Amino acid sequence: TKNMAHFPIFFLNRKPESALLICFGMGTTYRSLMSWDIDVTAVELVPSVKDAFGYYFDDAEAILKNPKGRVVIDDGRRFLNRTTKIYDVITIDPPPPVEAAGSSLLYSEEFYSVVKKHLKTDGIFQQWFPSGEGKILDAIARSLANSFPYVRAFISLEGWGIHFFASESPIGT
């Protein structure tokens, strides 16, 4: 999950100023985004997930106190519909399985249209497909290709799924 922060930033052709993380999880991606010394907002649906951050990382309290970061308890899609902020990187890490009711909505063309409104023109959207049926992978890839003119896919370092990057501008040129 560190790669969900570092790789999209690496592919930007400039230093980022802000990032949005949807689905806090263990906090690894949030922690990695914070290491770039940029403004980071994380959105998590379940309050107790944020509370467990200290269980995984000894420095969780200090990271949560960093004024450049904030964790919002809300639905990611609802948050995007309410904010006017534009981000350099938006990364999501919904819990598997991707076909679960709460996660599946984050792999749709409708969701991607909301994401694009909050992504800078040269910004990068990162989404991970952990694993699953080939037809689900095909549907996700098709939805991304229908939504963004530029999409790249990479097999994860551990072979655990595929990382998709999508943008309105060429990625990594």
Side-chain angles (χ1 to χ4, degrees), residues 7-13 87-91 119-120 122-126 164-167 170-172:
F7 283 173
I9 289 174
F10 171 78
F11 280 109
L12 279 177
N13 291 318
Y87 300 91
D88 295 297
V89 169
I90 298 176
T91 186
L119 193 62
K120 290 183 182 174
D122 66 340
I124 296 178
F125 170 65
Q126 188 282 154
F164 288 99
F165 298 165
S167 182
I171 300 169

Side-chain angles (χ1 to χ4, degrees), residues 20 22 43-47 70 72-84 87 102 105-106 110-111 114-115 118:
L20 173 66
I22 297 177
V43 181
E44 173 54 50
L45 185 61
V46 180
R70 72 182 183 131
V72 176
I73 304 302
D74 198 355
D75 174 81
R77 191 156 146 163
R78 184 171 59 196
F79 174 84
L80 283 171
N81 282 324
R82 293 178 179 183
T83 189
T84 57
Y87 300 91
L105 297 174
L106 300 176
E110 293 80 10
F111 178 68
V114 175
V115 165
H118 298 282

Side-chain angles (χ1 to χ4, degrees), residues 31-70:
R31 190 170 180 264
S32 296
L33 286 167
M34 292 296 294
S35 74
W36 286 86
D37 193 35
I38 61 175
D39 292 327
V40 178
T41 299
V43 181
E44 173 54 50
L45 185 61
V46 180
S48 61
V49 170
K50 174 189 168 192
D51 297 339
F53 187 34
Y55 177 79
Y56 299 105
F57 297 102
D58 292 338
D59 61 350
E61 186 178 340
I63 290 171
L64 290 172
K65 287 181 179 179
N66 184 325
K68 289 196 170 214
R70 72 182 183 131

Side-chain angles (χ1 to χ4, degrees), residues 7 128 153-163:
F7 283 173
W128 179 52
F154 300 91
I155 296 172
S156 73
L157 292 174
E158 299 289 331
W160 298 335
I162 297 171
H163 294 275

